[in-house]
Amino acid sequence: MAMLRAAKHAMRSLGSTAPDAAPFSRMLHASPGSKKIVGVFYKANEYASLNPKFVGCVEGSLGIRDWLESQGHQYIVTDDKEGPNCELEKHIHDMHVLITTPFHPAYVTAERIKRAKNLQLLLTAGIGSDHIDLKAAAEAGLTVAEVTGSNVVSVAEDELMRILILVRNFVPGYLQVIKGDWNVAGIAYRAYDLEGKTVGTVGAGRIGKLLLQRLKPFNCNLLYYDRIKMEPALEKEIGAKFEEDLDTMLPKCDIIVINTPLTEKTRGMFNKERIGKLKKGVLIVNNARGAIMDTQAVADACSSGHIAGYSGDVWNPQPAPKDHPWRYMPNQAMTPHISGTTIDGQLRYAAGVKDMLDCYFKGQEFPAQNYIVKEGKLASQYQ
Amino acid sequence: MAMLRAAKHAMRSLGSTAPDAAPFSRMLHASPGSKKIVGVFYKANEYASLNPKFVGCVEGSLGIRDWLESQGHQYIVTDDKEGPNCELEKHIHDMHVLITTPFHPAYVTAERIKRAKNLQLLLTAGIGSDHIDLKAAAEAGLTVAEVTGSNVVSVAEDELMRILILVRNFVPGYLQVIKGDWNVAGIAYRAYDLEGKTVGTVGAGRIGKLLLQRLKPFNCNLLYYDRIKMEPALEKEIGAKFEEDLDTMLPKCDIIVINTPLTEKTRGMFNKERIGKLKKGVLIVNNARGAIMDTQAVADACSSGHIAGYSGDVWNPQPAPKDHPWRYMPNQAMTPHISGTTIDGQLRYAAGVKDMLDCYFKGQEFPAQNYIVKEGKLASQYQ
């Protein structure tokens, strides 16, 4: 693949008009010899030593250092990913593989891709590769792959937690406790049961389906909007009703959960106008991507009470700056980007990254569902 | 019943040795005429007007004032329940019915019962009547009844929320957000999936069963300890394994949920010794009653890390004083007593109280499952 990329680059430099698809007709494999692999993870500092299973941080390095180095590969790991003098920048020009995560995203821009002359493979430890310019990666002949499925359970569980936290008004109760207060009314006047409420998911892919399955015993009215209608048997088992039109579904919902990837179609999907058409007092859970929402429109609707609660772990950008309005808006139950990086999730996506690196070294295919960019084409959910 | 009680009282005063059971052979009914009904609820102040369905507070008065007064009854409502000069004390001597709640419990002691010469009926708006001295109530010939089932869904949902909050380490993430921080590692090093964990419930009555049903799609290992083993068909449907011995079950559990009433048998059940035998890093959810735990033993085990997380809405006493150690122990996700008083729960227990008052006025029986003390006998769960 390195040779293919080099050939393609040379053809472009020469003004070749050869069709783009041609150079990708062979499967991905590493050229022989030592590879330089760079991983960008969040740093754990004093937390690193507190749990031996904590592999998702810089210090844990996905638990693959010995394995890589014993095969003669170089493995650089850092959390320093921004600005012209960051550690990542030092390795852009000669790295072969870049491993990133959605939790502490290294933004892989077209400009960085252009400078990464040796780069062949971009692996996302987790799910969601929108921090990578996928079109630029496709044009450059790179392969992009995720550990599909590695943390879908983790995220779905977290979404259900956030639904309950909002519906039942947990946060003001907790804050009373730590402030020495006791005022049941101040919580109860807007605490509800989840039972009987209408919950709609925007997107019912792997995570959305797991969420709906976990919601079933709560006796809600479940709706889903997706590109694809489920098979009737699965739909019946899950107990959710398909909605063909997003804007027909949304105003029916007491609770909206976002389960769609960030693409050019979904960026800013929840703008002022669309939020204005939602039920007054709607609750929104978004563990998908922060940029699916118009940041200020959400903050304004929380302030006005049109949105009665907003919870999620995704922000635009990440890390969220100290003055991000979602930190200060009323009725939020936000956290840093955490839902997919539970210890269980980390162990699964670390194993998945190792498996793909092993395939890469051996010239073998990855599991088909893992590919986000392959042979110049984007996976369907990113098209 | 008033006459029965008067007769019994007279017999006692006369040193009669008539068997205690005899005076209770007739069903409860009100003597004709106007009744004085006292309700003790939490006060809502500025929150009262924010939701027209907010009936569970002093201001909402269960929504039965017009209905009671139109029938010529007197209805006193207060939140002032403690000390010799409180509002409740002014009405002890001549009230016929006292309505209380577990959320802002009026402690109905033997001494108060003795002074309540006209008292016939004690109604709990909600579930859990341990704030009433039930033996004293039984001996005095009073009827005690709850709105059984009124908020079991509310409490079960809340328990599942708390399990997820602890397993996934939500609170430190939220606190980072409001403090302007961003440290994924500080959350992730001890955040887990619920999937695959062992969850045991101490008690599998109405609430415990609803919790287990809601846990089923999470693919946990579910255990339950109860006085009664479920029917095999129900056990299979719920997917939980019966444990005959409490102390055999507890050390198997990653997560323990308390779903047993407070009785003399369960008071202080989780003392230092029993907590010491739990799995290190256990998570505990207790929405049952605070006094089931040894307060200091829980605080100490949270400080040492033996208990890795404790969440619940019940305290001993309530309201929890400002210096209650559970407010300040690490890894707690506590709230004031709220889980059973969602707006949906309030509407159900208000309707249930109204129904029972109507039965009382008409000399009709209550639904059998509502009785906690009837004709001198305690309901089985309180024996």
Side-chain angles (χ1 to χ4, degrees), chain A residues 12 60 115:
Chain A
R12 271 211 214 112
R115 285 188 286 116

Side-chain angles (χ1 to χ4, degrees), chain B residues 104-352:
Chain B
H104 184 73
Y107 294 101
V108 184
T109 59
E111 189 274 329
R112 276 179 163 170
I113 288 172
K114 204 171 171 185
R115 284 188 287 116
K117 305 287 183 197
N118 288 352
L119 187 61
Q120 298 174 319
L121 178 60
L122 288 156
L123 290 177
T124 300
I127 302 173
S129 300
D130 50 87
H131 55 285
I132 298 167
D133 186 326
L134 297 174
K135 278 189 186 168
E139 281 172 17
L142 303 182
T143 296
V144 182
E146 302 179 348
V147 192
T148 301
S150 61
N151 52 13
V152 288
V153 164
S154 314
V155 178
E157 286 186 4
D158 193 275
E159 289 177 345
L160 188 39
M161 173 190 76
R162 287 174 200 269
I163 290 172
L164 288 165
I165 284 173
L166 293 181
V167 172
R168 308 189 59 90
N169 207 19
F170 169 78
V171 166
Y174 174 73
L175 293 177
Q176 283 185 22
V177 167
I178 59 173
K179 287 175 184 164
D181 294 341
W182 183 282
N183 184 347
V184 172
I187 313 160
Y189 83 100
R190 58 196 301 274
Y192 291 87
D193 292 350
L194 178 53
E195 182 164 280
K197 307 301 181 289
T198 297
V199 186
T201 174
V202 180
R206 290 181 178 83
I207 296 172
K209 282 194 190 83
L210 290 170
L211 172 66
L212 290 169
Q213 284 167 336
R214 280 154 183 73
L215 278 167
K216 196 179 179 194
F218 283 88
N219 303 318
C220 298
N221 177 29
L222 301 178
L223 308 176
Y224 75 98
Y225 166 79
D226 200 86
R227 292 173 299 138
I228 306 157
K229 191 176 183 313
M230 293 178 205
E231 291 299 314
L234 181 63
E235 202 173 66
K236 196 180 166 193
E237 180 208 316
I238 288 181
K241 191 176 159 291
F242 178 64
E243 293 274 342
E244 263 179 279
D245 181 61
L246 178 66
D247 289 308
T248 306
M249 177 180 84
L250 292 178
K252 297 177 188 172
C253 298
D254 300 306
I255 301 143
I256 294 167
V257 188
I258 316 297
N259 277 309
T260 184
L262 176 63
T263 66
E264 286 320 305
K265 281 180 201 157
T266 62
R267 187 177 295 274
M269 179 188 255
F270 283 78
N271 54 20
K272 189 179 170 183
E273 191 195 346
R274 190 166 260 131
I275 290 171
K277 291 177 187 165
L278 304 180
K279 204 180 263 198
K280 191 167 155 37
V282 69
L283 306 174
I284 298 178
V285 169
N286 177 16
N287 279 6
R289 285 298 177 262
I292 294 171
M293 320 305 286
D294 176 323
T295 299
Q296 194 56 48
V298 167
D300 291 345
C302 281
S303 295
S304 76
H306 194 104
I307 297 176
Y310 184 91
S311 183
D313 69 341
V314 287
W315 306 68
N316 182 24
Q318 290 183 184
K322 278 190 195 302
D323 63 352
H324 196 293
W326 291 0
R327 290 185 186 267
Y328 307 103
M329 64 190 184
N331 302 320
Q332 59 87 354
M334 299 294 297
T335 67
H337 197 167
I338 177 70
S339 65
T341 185
T342 55
I343 295 293
D344 305 274
Q346 290 173 44
L347 293 172
R348 286 190 298 262
Y349 65 66

